[in-house]
Amino acid sequence: MDYREAGVDVEAGRAFVQQIRGMVESTYRPGVLGKFGGFSGLFQIPAGYHEPILVSGTDGVGTKLKIAQVANRHDTVGIDLVAMCVNDVLTSGAEPLFFLDYLATGHLEPEQLAQVVSGISEGCRQAGCALLGGETAEMPGFYQPGEYDLAGFCVGVVEKSQLLDGSQVQIGDVAIGLGSQGVHSNGFSLVRKIISDRGFSWEEKPELFGGQTLAEAFLTPTQIYVKPILAARQAGLTIHGLAHITGGGLPENLPRCLGEGQAVRLNPNSWPVLPVFQWLATTGEVSEVAMFNTFNMGIGLVVIVPSDQAEQTMQWFTSQSLAAYAIGEVVSGAGELIGLPE
């Protein structure tokens, strides 16, 4: 017997590594040391920091991968993987420096996984971070044919004096919501249940979706907010806090950027609900409370700013092609959100 008879094709693995070399190297930025294919990735902390703080984050894509595998479209979930990590790191005010991925499958299918890595590379380019390394694990019998799983890990850096940790947020600050591109990468167990229980095909095109199939609409990748946020700070805009709206929606994530004794009074009518959420609520008969506790509802990132800079900040993000809405105000409280459906 040999390893191939056991289900692991070593030669295919080597060929795959060479196939993705160009994609990986296209993400390199100043600070990358060493060469492609080493046992570890090397990165030098950028010059100019007096008290650099390293910030790390890790995440996956969840059951959104099931849709990619059913639709046989694998070029967007890699963007999701990067976005989920870099947006989290960004909330500390950090610039993402490098990213590593872990890709596991039962049987290595080079073309399929090359599409995945192309998405990871695109996500890294959008975030300005280097794809510094990764691991591709072929595990026969562990996954069904055509299935794979993804995990990612990101490291960023921020000057200690610029670190966002909740202490900067003040009563009276304004919460500005930046628009999402759709469901992003959370709530897909509910999405898939609605599609399955209501007997829909992923190729169907509901009228609300503007000609897109269900698969196309739900595979829309997570928005990466890194460059606009970092550019805003560099342009002199004051940001007191950031919240990435992921699993648990606004109720779970927005309070995480507040200080002690603070809450947010929200106006749920201050931003438009995207058609995809309208469709899910109607088709799945999902209550407003459950929708807000599961999905981002059209707000992918919340930026907390001083009230006298709110209008200027919204105009700035609009100029960066990001929808921006004044969705609430920081008030006294115990970390709750006031104004959402109950």
Side-chain angles (χ1 to χ4, degrees):
M1 292 186 184
D2 60 19
Y3 215 4
R4 175 176 282 186
E5 290 181 76
V8 179
D9 191 335
V10 175
E11 291 302 320
R14 290 171 180 158
F16 173 68
V17 170
Q18 293 306 312
Q19 184 178 0
I20 64 174
R21 174 190 288 270
M23 302 177 195
V24 174
E25 292 180 342
S26 73
T27 70
Y28 284 1
R29 51 165 287 167
V32 175
L33 304 177
K35 58 183 181 179
F36 177 86
F39 286 101
S40 57
L42 308 177
F43 197 96
Q44 184 174 8
I45 294 177
Y49 286 90
H50 300 289
E51 294 182 284
I53 302 294
L54 295 180
V55 181
S56 62
T58 186
D59 211 333
V61 182
T63 62
K64 187 173 187 176
L65 292 177
K66 286 285 191 182
I67 302 174
Q69 290 157 16
V70 168
N72 194 29
R73 181 180 175 185
H74 312 281
D75 59 335
T76 61
V77 288
I79 300 175
D80 287 300
L81 182 66
V82 175
M84 295 301 289
C85 296
V86 298
N87 286 342
D88 278 356
V89 165
L90 178 66
T91 62
S92 296
E95 174 190 5
L97 297 176
F98 58 85
F99 184 86
L100 295 96
D101 68 83
Y102 174 79
L103 200 164
T105 185
H107 174 70
L108 187 64
E109 297 183 18
E111 292 306 318
Q112 177 197 62
L113 300 188
Q115 288 185 46
V116 175
V117 175
S118 74
I120 295 173
S121 301
E122 173 60 24
C124 286
R125 289 190 292 270
Q126 289 183 23
C129 65
L131 179 51
L132 198 57
E135 169 69 8
T136 303
E138 190 173 14
M139 301 189 290
F142 205 85
Y143 297 93
Q144 295 298 315
E147 288 188 351
Y148 57 84
D149 198 9
L150 299 174
F153 175 80
C154 178
V155 170
V157 65
V158 62
E159 189 71 68
K160 188 175 183 179
S161 63
Q162 297 297 310
L163 180 69
L164 300 178
D165 59 6
S167 63
Q168 298 88 350
V169 179
Q170 304 294 317
I171 302 297
D173 282 352
V174 173
I176 295 174
L178 301 185
S180 71
Q181 295 191 140
V183 181
H184 284 183
S185 296
N186 302 102
F188 276 90
S189 294
L190 178 55
V191 169
R192 291 170 47 246
K193 180 173 176 57
I194 291 170
I195 300 292
S196 173
D197 286 3
R198 296 299 187 261
F200 284 95
S201 158
W202 290 106
E203 297 306 311
E204 291 189 50
K205 299 180 179 180
E207 187 175 344
L208 270 177
F209 285 43
Q212 281 189 312
T213 66
L214 288 171
E216 289 169 341
F218 285 108
L219 286 175
T220 300
T222 305
Q223 176 75 47
I224 293 176
Y225 298 96
V226 172
K227 290 184 178 180
I229 292 292
L230 294 179
R233 299 191 86 188
Q234 291 167 1
L237 296 178
T238 300
I239 293 177
H240 284 168
L242 293 166
H244 184 201
I245 310 306
T246 56
L250 284 161
E252 184 168 323
N253 292 286
L254 182 48
R256 295 166 70 181
C257 76
L258 301 177
E260 292 293 326
Q262 296 176 345
V264 176
R265 180 182 292 112
L266 286 176
N267 176 5
N269 298 315
S270 58
W271 73 91
V273 176
L274 300 177
V276 65
F277 298 114
Q278 298 173 22
W279 187 86
L280 285 169
T282 302
T283 305
E285 299 179 76
V286 185
S287 70
E288 275 194 293
V289 172
M291 289 295 294
F292 273 98
N293 278 284
T294 306
F295 301 112
N296 66 60
M297 298 300 285
I299 300 297
L301 193 81
V302 176
V303 187
I304 307 295
V305 303
S307 59
D308 61 358
Q309 292 193 28
E311 191 61 38
Q312 176 189 1
T313 302
M314 286 190 290
Q315 290 175 0
W316 195 90
F317 282 116
T318 300
S319 75
Q320 303 298 303
S321 301
L322 278 174
Y325 313 95
I327 65 171
E329 179 186 9
V330 179
V331 297
S332 297
E336 70 271 28
L337 295 189
I338 303 164
L340 288 182
E342 297 180 359

